[in-house]
């Protein structure tokens, strides 16, 4: 089936992202860790996207297609064909929480779930770091304190959150993502992109797909989107 986007309130904010921010998301969805096109990706084949190649706002004008690509990665390919579209972002978010062993109440707002996920990810990552990696992480976010619990409230309200999360997704600390018995994540080849407070997110390899979901894509994509939503919310405040 062709790439389709199901109107998704939780992804509307992507239309306000910068070209560079959307370019990072698109690259994550369409490229593997070696920079080769993902076989399951449809964005780069879409006529509307190809028609704006080299245009300064190629990604901004196609934000719905980028969102649709994420929805398709979040859903089982057979179920996508039956529905005519992929999963809504909230369902993907809840699935990622489950895979990373975070209990998220369905009554919580999407923003609240994302906040819990980011805090959970940061705390679990910190616990798995040795002292050298902790020092590198603190330097990456330009921290003035050396304990995560003191840093976390500041980090969650700061653009450096994206830099910190992206650092943790780097291959240097890939072992921290061994958080689920069915999933072995190895992240490397970070994409460089402006507007995220530093490099962010990248292709994750070696993830066992469960029920057709490509967790090597959806896990870092959800973490990235959670950071982006906070960045744009802070800018609007």
């Amino acid at each position: 089936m062709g790439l389709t986007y199901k109107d998704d309130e939780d992804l509307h904010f992507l239309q306000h992202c910068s070209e560079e921010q959307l370019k990072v998301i698109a690259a994550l969805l369409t490229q593997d860790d070696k920079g080769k096109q993902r076989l399951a990706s449809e964005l780069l084949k879409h006529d509307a996207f190809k028609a704006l190649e080299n245009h300064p706002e190629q990604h901004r004008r196609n934000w719905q297609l980028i969102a649709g690509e994420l929805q398709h990665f979040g859903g089982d390919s057979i179920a996508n064909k039956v529905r005519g579209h992929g999963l809504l972002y909230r369902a993907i978010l809840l699935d990622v929480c489950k895979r990373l062993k975070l209990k998220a109440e369905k009554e919580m707002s999407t923003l609240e779930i994302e906040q819990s996920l980011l805090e959970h990810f940061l705390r679990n990552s910190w616990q798995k770091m040795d002292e050298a990696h902790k020092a590198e992480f603190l330097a990456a976010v330009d921290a003035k304190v050396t304990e995560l619990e003191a840093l976390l409230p500041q980090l969650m309200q700061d653009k450096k959150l994206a830099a910190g999360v992206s650092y943790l997704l780097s291959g240097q600390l890939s072992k921290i993502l061994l958080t689920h018995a069915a999933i072995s994540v190895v992240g490397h080849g970070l994409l460089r992109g402006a507007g995220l407070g530093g490099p962010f997110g990248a292709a994750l390899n070696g993830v066992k797909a469960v029920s057709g979901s490509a967790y090597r894509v959806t896990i870092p994509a959800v973490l990235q989107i959670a950071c982006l939503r906070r960045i744009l919310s802070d800018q609007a405040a």
Side-chain angles (χ1 to χ4, degrees), residues 158-221:
D158 195 291
K159 64 181 181 180
K160 295 185 181 68
L161 172 65
V165 172
S166 58
Y167 177 81
L168 296 174
L169 285 173
S170 70
Q172 196 173 31
L173 294 178
S174 60
K175 62 182 180 180
I176 65 175
L177 291 177
L178 300 176
T179 57
H180 190 274
I183 298 176
S184 175
V185 182
V186 180
H188 58 92
L190 280 179
L191 301 171
R192 302 285 174 174
L196 281 172
F200 192 77
L204 298 181
N205 295 314
V207 183
K208 180 178 179 181
V210 181
S211 301
S213 294
Y215 294 116
R216 62 187 173 275
V217 177
T218 58
I219 289 174

Side-chain angles (χ1 to χ4, degrees), residues 148-167:
L148 184 66
E149 290 307 315
L151 173 62
L152 197 56
Q154 303 171 34
L155 195 58
M156 294 300 295
Q157 302 297 328
D158 195 291
K159 64 181 181 180
K160 295 185 181 68
L161 172 65
V165 172
S166 58
Y167 177 81

